[in-house]
Amino acid sequence: MNDFITGLQNSLHGMTWLEAIAVLFAVLSVIFQKKNNILVYPTGIISTGIYTYLLSREHFKLYADATLNAYYLVMSIYGWVYWARQGPAKPEVKISRSSPRELATAIFIALAGWAVFYVLLVNFSDSNVPVMDAFISATACSGMWLLAKRKVENWILLNISNFVAVPLLFYKHLYLTALLTIFLFIIAIFGYFSWRKAVLQQETSHS
């Protein structure tokens, strides 16, 4: 416990203004996500852009996680455009359940991504945690794909990623980011039930 407190204090003292901004906008992004608000994307773009830079630095060597944040950046732009669709020709995208085909695609993205990230980390980096780093990134990629399509199940995959990420972040002495991930995990639980309730209301109104 003393080691954790000491590490947290060191993390606070060593936190750069860039990391502070990344944490702040990550918190805002997940709050907007829970509220089903399109501002999830511009806030997410700021946070992931900063984390892409920070995690790729030699001190942390979380290369898959850095690549994941770069992927988040691209998917945030795609999701922002996708969510913004409106009008008679392009109706607003509503929260919905994933179809069997979409779930199969999400699982494929997670498993194939895990394998690809692992091979790349083992052969082209000096990562000392390739299995966990690859798994976290692959499941998060899959969840982000479902989020962009406004599917309820995005929360499940993102929280699988968050659950595995927490001990890895503590191991890497990224205490603030680990605490942030725990916060995101808790918010994601509420987010899942909030989105599920919205879907049930839609289904009831159309029945």
Side-chain angles (χ1 to χ4, degrees):
M1 186 64 181
N2 289 335
D3 290 341
F4 169 75
I5 294 174
T6 301
L8 183 58
Q9 290 174 338
N10 291 337
S11 182
L12 283 169
H13 289 306
M15 183 173 65
T16 65
W17 62 271
L18 273 178
E19 186 181 359
I21 293 173
V23 169
L24 171 62
F25 278 91
V27 170
L28 290 174
S29 182
V30 77
I31 291 174
F32 285 129
Q33 181 182 348
K34 178 182 178 295
K35 293 179 177 294
N36 191 29
N37 190 307
I38 198 170
L39 290 176
V40 58
Y41 288 115
T43 51
I45 286 171
I46 294 172
S47 177
T48 55
I50 295 172
Y51 268 121
T52 299
Y53 166 72
L54 291 177
L55 294 173
S56 63
R57 295 170 66 186
E58 186 177 355
H59 179 66
F60 299 119
K61 300 180 181 178
L62 291 174
Y63 303 116
D65 211 2
T67 304
L68 168 65
N69 276 275
Y71 169 81
Y72 275 172
L73 192 62
V74 174
M75 288 302 293
S76 291
I77 296 171
Y78 167 77
W80 196 352
V81 173
Y82 191 77
W83 281 32
R85 296 189 313 172
Q86 55 186 346
K90 294 183 177 180
E92 179 185 359
V93 180
K94 296 184 180 297
I95 298 172
S96 61
R97 301 179 192 271
S98 300
S99 66
R101 182 175 181 178
E102 287 169 332
L103 281 177
T105 301
I107 293 171
F108 173 78
I109 291 172
L111 294 178
W114 190 8
V116 170
F117 274 126
Y118 176 76
V119 170
L120 291 175
L121 287 171
V122 169
N123 292 285
F124 300 103
S125 81
D126 56 352
S127 173
N128 61 345
V129 285
V131 175
M132 290 183 68
D133 196 9
F135 179 81
I136 292 165
S137 299
T139 49
C141 281
S142 181
M144 191 67 179
W145 180 74
L146 289 177
L147 170 63
K149 293 184 172 293
R150 234 167 189 160
K151 300 299 180 179
V152 175
E153 293 78 9
N154 87 85
W155 294 103
I156 297 174
L157 281 162
L158 290 176
N159 246 4
I160 291 173
S161 177
N162 288 334
F163 183 79
V164 178
V166 170
L168 178 60
L169 291 168
F170 278 122
Y171 170 71
K172 287 289 185 176
H173 304 293
L174 289 165
Y175 297 107
L176 284 177
T177 305
L179 294 175
L180 168 65
T181 305
I182 293 172
F183 170 77
L184 300 181
F185 181 87
I186 295 170
I187 291 294
I189 294 173
F190 288 101
Y192 170 78
F193 286 107
S194 176
W195 281 37
R196 185 172 178 271
K197 181 180 179 181
V199 169
L200 290 173
Q201 290 174 341
Q202 290 176 26
E203 293 173 347
T204 301
S205 64
H206 292 136
S207 61

